[in-house]
Amino acid sequence: NAGVMQNPRHLVRRRGQEARLRCSPMKGHSHVYWYRQLPEEGLKFMVYLQKENIIDESGMPKERFSAEFPKEGPSILRIQQVVRGDSAAYFCASSPSIYNEQFFGPGTRLTVL
Amino acid sequence: GQQVMQIPQYQHVQEGEDFTTYCNSSTTLSNIQWYKQRPGGHPVFLIQLVKSGEVKKQKRLTFQFGEAKKNSSLHITATQTTDVGTYFCAGTGANNLFFGTGTRLTVIP
C-alpha cells in the first residue's frame, strides 16, 4: 500500500505566478488535510476535505488560496498570484476518519522568487 | 479559537539524559496524538491517547494524557542521537487536528 504521494517535491515560482500542489491520499482514505509549515515553525492547519467536499477551510487565507478533492484524481491546493510570503513547505495528510492517525506525505517545498 | 501550546520550544540534552515536552490545550480534547518530524522530513505518527489519565509506553517513550483531557506529556528516557527531531502534539477538534508549536530536540553526543 503506497503512502501519501505529493508532487512536485520542490516547486519554484516567480511572484504573481500560480502554484498547483497535488496530493494522492493512501488507498482507502477519504479524508485529506493540508498544512503549511514555515521555516523553523510548526504545522498550521489549512483545509480539510472529503471527497468532493470542503469540510473545514478555517485555516486557509480567504484570497488566492483554494483546494479541491475531486471524485477522481488527487487533491489539489492552488495558490494564485504567489507572493514571497507563500514560500513554505506544504504537507498533505490523509486518514480514514478525523479520529484516526494522519499519514503525511513528503511535502512540497514552494519557493517564491 | 482552539489552541494547543507546547513547551519548551527548544531543548538541548546530552546523550543519555532524559527529555520531556508538555502540551496544553485551551479546551477539552477528544483525544491527543503525538508526531515526530525529523529535520527535513515529514511528521510521522507516534501514538494516540484517548482516555482520561491514560499512560502509554513505547520503549523509552512514555506518553500521558491528563485527567481533564486538556494536557499531555511525552517523556523520553536516556535520549539517543536517533531521538533528534521536532515532537508535535495534536488535539482533535471538531473537524481537524490542532497541532502544538512543537519541541525541537537536539541530542549532543
Side-chain angles (χ1 to χ4, degrees), chain A residues 32-89:
Chain A
V32 166
Y33 316 82
W34 286 93
Y35 297 88
R36 177 163 65 177
Q37 187 173 39
L38 294 170
E40 308 298 316
E41 293 191 9
L43 291 156
K44 293 289 176 58
F45 167 78
M46 297 183 74
V47 62
Y48 161 39
L49 311 100
Q50 284 184 271
K51 279 292 185 181
E52 300 184 272
N53 293 307
I54 295 175
I55 307 301
D56 186 340
E57 56 182 348
S58 58
M60 201 149 71
K62 296 283 187 285
E63 297 179 355
R64 302 189 298 108
F65 285 73
S66 63
E68 62 177 16
F69 188 15
K71 189 176 181 180
E72 301 291 337
S75 175
I76 306 285
L77 178 67
R78 183 181 176 204
I79 311 172
Q80 294 178 290
Q81 299 175 323
V82 295
V83 301
R84 288 224 175 96
D86 296 332
S87 296

Side-chain angles (χ1 to χ4, degrees), chain B residues 22-40:
Chain B
Y22 301 90
C23 185
N24 292 289
S25 169
S26 56
T27 59
T28 302
L29 300 167
S30 303
N31 61 50
I32 197 154
Q33 299 177 8
W34 284 91
Y35 292 78
K36 177 183 178 182
Q37 185 178 22
R38 292 183 183 274

Side-chain angles (χ1 to χ4, degrees), chain B residues 7-59:
Chain B
I7 55 170
Q9 190 173 358
Y10 301 95
Q11 185 79 61
H12 296 251
V13 300
Q14 205 73 36
E15 188 174 15
E17 292 182 339
D18 292 356
F19 158 76
T20 305
T21 173
Y22 301 90
C23 185
N24 292 289
S25 169
S26 56
T27 59
T28 302
L29 300 167
S30 303
N31 61 50
I32 197 154
Q33 299 177 8
W34 284 91
Y35 292 78
K36 177 183 178 182
Q37 185 178 22
R38 292 183 183 274
H42 59 277
V44 175
F45 174 81
L46 293 176
I47 207 160
Q48 176 170 278
L49 304 170
V50 179
K51 299 176 184 175
S52 169
E54 189 170 13
V55 177
K56 286 189 177 180
K57 290 192 175 186
Q58 286 180 352
K59 296 183 180 178

Side-chain angles (χ1 to χ4, degrees), chain B residues 68-97:
Chain B
K69 300 183 77 172
K70 284 187 173 183
N71 56 68
S72 181
S73 66
L74 158 59
H75 179 81
I76 303 178
T77 304
T79 55
Q80 300 175 359
T81 54
T82 52
D83 295 326
V84 164
T86 302
Y87 293 84
F88 294 98
C89 63
T92 303
N95 289 313
N96 54 57
L97 281 182

